Amino acid sequence: MKLTTFNPQIITKDAEGVVQLFEALGFERRHTKEEIGELGVTGIRMKDANGFYLDISQSDRLPVDCIQAIRMNVDDFDEAYRLFTDRGFKNFYGDRVVENPTSRSAVMIAPSGFVINLVQHIRK
């Protein structure tokens, strides 16, 4: 398994407020994916002039207002998913994986509480 991207992610109930804050810090919106998968998550990718990426996701299913995470893109989702579950991580969505035509993902929570959004891009 190879890491293809690694950057911070903010998962929140109010994405627009977070986007505005980071725009004020010099980040620009690269793209937005509305209603990703059946869980209704909106994903926003941002980048600044130094090449730093930030992902902001909006979900109404959060038990709190905001979760800070690491977005980790990999080339083999199943292998990475097993690596994390073998180390005690739990999928936020139970056994469900968010799938759409361009990616597969799962929000993985460590026993200590830190969060990794595991993603594999599907390239055609």
Side-chain angles (χ1 to χ4, degrees), residues 41-52:
V41 175
T42 296
I44 301 162
R45 184 109 168 123
M46 300 186 81
K47 184 179 180 183
D48 79 349
N50 297 309
F52 294 116

Side-chain angles (χ1 to χ4, degrees), residues 89-106:
F89 281 72
K90 302 290 185 205
N91 184 341
F92 178 79
Y93 301 115
D95 291 331
R96 296 170 63 192
V97 171
V98 178
E99 297 191 51
N100 64 64
T102 61
S103 66
R104 296 175 69 202
S105 66

